[in-house]
Amino acid sequence: MIDIFTTGGTIDKVYFDALSEFQIGPAAIPDMLRENNVHVPHRVTQLMRKDSLELDDADREAIRVAVAASDAARILVTHGTDTMVLTGRVLAGIPGKTIVMTGAMQPASVRASDAEFNVGFALAAVQTLPPGVYIAMNGMIFDPATTVKDRAGQRFVQQ
Amino acid sequence: MIDIFTTGGTIDKVYFDALSEFQIGPAAIPDMLRENNVHVPHRVTQLMRKDSLELDDADREAIRVAVAASDAARILVTHGTDTMVLTGRVLAGIPGKTIVMTGAMQPASVRASDAEFNVGFALAAVQTLPPGVYIAMNGMIFDPATTVKDRAGQRFVQQ
Amino acid sequence: MIDIFTTGGTIDKVYFDALSEFQIGPAAIPDMLRENNVHVPHRVTQLMRKDSLELDDADREAIRVAVAASDAARILVTHGTDTMVLTGRVLAGIPGKTIVMTGAMQPASVRASDAEFNVGFALAAVQTLPPGVYIAMNGMIFDPATTVKDRAGQRFVQQ
Amino acid sequence: MIDIFTTGGTIDKVYFDALSEFQIGPAAIPDMLRENNVHVPHRVTQLMRKDSLELDDADREAIRVAVAASDAARILVTHGTDTMVLTGRVLAGIPGKTIVMTGAMQPASVRASDAEFNVGFALAAVQTLPPGVYIAMNGMIFDPATTVKDRAGQRFVQQ
């Protein structure tokens, strides 16, 4: 069983015409897993719907509590990219679990989105890596302790 | 360095109006990796352009020779799904390499394709699994020795 | 009321994994009109599911009979592009109706399809043109009596 | 020759990761016409890049001046939907030209966009309608003098 927690972020942004803006909508991942014919046992829980720039310490603590309380040994967290590294560091103390974080630079609702690729990538990482916390982005696996987002390059970089 | 070998299959089918039919075109994977902002070192080699139902023993031997000759320890092979298991068994004897096979039930050129998800999934699997041959499909990792494609269910099943 | 008749053609091709090939599926146009929030009164009838290279004289006669029997003055016909001109000439004798034919060079199921654009174009043409038979392709309106498909150029050309 | 003027609006919104928001980008219409194999003579001019809620009287006057000064008899204007009707009324006094306005409820960059359909629809309307100002949305042709946008219904309605 893989426990998937969604927190919002760019991956879940959709355009609302009545508001003339994009906002975080329902989690994209359940439709995505069904449409890609994914058969690995999993369940999806939406913890919050926030841009990761708006996450505060209480939000990160809530994510940590939910992950720690899960009876699953393998946890996937979708998250905005801007503060993914910070949340990853908060999750670092949880023992005995493989925790993989991913997200997207372009919303899943957009044609040129990296969301499907990244979720596919993260779903394999969470099944194969030993316990620990990982960021799965840009086709690479990063340690949140030593990683930063390079906004201009639209990528994560190991320091 | 990840060595990526493409052999054709549904993943690379595109529609040719002048022929009134779909045929296997150029490998989809280079554009896919670029568009998804993938930064892991890799190179792509197109070995053949065949529907996997048309692959014969000589083709499988050619794939085996190319994989064995690679100086990379991590190899990704894109392949039609109908005989992916057969080719996987031919590759089973190669020592010291992590070899991951993937493909798609719907061409990458099609809106509802599982190609991006599957390639993302396989790209993590090839970086994280120990040496051996694996099929990475349906969000799961399979051993070709004990796996069959369930055509009606559009999925792979462990026997 | 606009009467929409579908006959098959590239526009309706979808990939069937179990057959390892594309075939003409259900008409794409009902979903397309709903997803594009179209509110003009219309009804859709699937007359046949054929590649237009396979249409014979009896098929063309069946299309002519259906169009002539409609109580609507405005008729849209989706059709394969290879013999669209031939069917258009068969429809030329029907008095008092605006008949617009369209189709696609790439299936509606494909990312790079021209289907949505062409159907949108044809739906305006059928509401605005005087009685007659027209081919609505490539952002242009053609008279089937003097038009040919240029296969290499993937376009229709007035002669 | 069809003169196409773009003014911004939802149709041209794209997601900028570095800003964590969608903004109006380059006009979507040139790529769209090329990718849909459109061969009718046209030229595209970007007049402004604004959400239509931000257009003021001076902007509408600038659009009116550009349309009036065009040497083309057929003019297509892409525009945000929220105040499309207002701009349409400002254009109403220009004699001798067929002026068609269109836009989208979902950006062209989004998978579920109505942009391609609407632009196709408008491109036929502008070639076939007599002189006047028209709104081409929802598969229908509206008179701006008697039309409102129904935000909740995501559609235009004749009053």
Side-chain angles (χ1 to χ4, degrees), chain A residues 10 13-22 51 53 81-82 104-113 116 149 151-152 154, chain D residues 10 13-22 51 53 81-82 104-113 116 149 151-152 154:
Chain A
T10 292
K13 286 186 183 166
V14 291
Y15 189 77
F16 290 91
D17 172 66
L19 303 170
S20 292
E21 65 178 29
F22 281 78
D51 195 303
L53 291 171
T81 56
D82 284 316
M105 300 291 181
Q106 291 282 325
S109 61
V110 160
R111 289 179 211 270
S113 178
E116 292 209 359
K149 178 178 172 188
R151 281 201 134 197
Q154 292 194 50
Chain D
T10 293
K13 287 186 181 167
V14 291
Y15 189 77
F16 289 92
D17 173 66
L19 303 169
S20 292
E21 65 176 31
F22 281 78
D51 195 304
L53 291 172
T81 56
D82 284 316
M105 300 290 180
Q106 290 283 325
S109 62
V110 159
R111 288 179 211 270
S113 179
E116 292 209 359
K149 178 179 172 188
R151 281 201 134 196
Q154 293 194 51

Side-chain angles (χ1 to χ4, degrees), chain C residues 65-137:
Chain C
V65 167
V67 170
S70 167
D71 57 4
R74 300 186 181 277
I75 313 275
L76 180 59
V77 179
T78 64
H79 194 286
T81 56
D82 284 316
T83 68
M84 190 185 284
V85 164
L86 292 183
T87 303
R89 292 173 189 169
V90 170
L91 297 176
I94 301 172
K97 290 184 191 298
T98 299
I99 303 163
V100 173
M101 307 184 73
T102 196
M105 299 292 181
Q106 291 283 326
S109 62
V110 160
R111 289 179 211 269
S113 179
D114 52 338
E116 291 208 1
F117 187 93
N118 292 351
V119 170
F121 186 86
L123 192 68
V126 80
Q127 293 179 62
T128 54
L129 287 167
V133 181
Y134 308 91
I135 286 177
M137 289 291 294

Side-chain angles (χ1 to χ4, degrees), chain B residues 10 13 15 18 22 111 151, chain C residues 10 13 15 18 22 109 151:
Chain B
T10 293
K13 286 187 182 166
Y15 189 76
F22 281 78
R111 290 180 211 269
R151 281 201 133 197
Chain C
T10 292
K13 286 186 183 168
Y15 189 76
F22 282 77
S109 62
R151 282 201 131 197

Side-chain angles (χ1 to χ4, degrees), chain C residues 55-69:
Chain C
L55 292 174
D56 59 20
D57 288 351
D59 292 319
R60 289 184 218 285
E61 179 60 18
I63 297 169
R64 201 192 64 78
V65 167
V67 170

Side-chain angles (χ1 to χ4, degrees), chain A residues 85-159:
Chain A
V85 164
L86 291 183
T87 303
R89 291 173 190 169
V90 170
L91 298 176
I94 302 172
K97 290 186 190 298
T98 299
I99 303 163
V100 174
M101 306 184 73
T102 196
M105 300 291 181
Q106 291 282 325
S109 61
V110 160
R111 289 179 211 270
S113 178
D114 51 337
E116 292 209 359
F117 187 93
N118 292 351
V119 170
F121 187 86
L123 193 68
V126 80
Q127 293 179 63
T128 54
L129 288 167
V133 182
Y134 308 91
I135 286 177
M137 290 290 295
N138 303 114
M140 298 176 74
I141 291 155
F142 297 96
D143 176 352
T146 56
T147 299
V148 293
K149 178 178 172 188
D150 168 12
R151 281 201 134 197
Q154 292 194 50
R155 57 178 291 196
F156 284 78
V157 180
Q158 199 80 34
Q159 285 189 301

Side-chain angles (χ1 to χ4, degrees), chain B residues 102-115:
Chain B
T102 196
M105 300 289 181
Q106 291 283 325
S109 61
V110 160
R111 290 180 211 269
S113 179
D114 51 336

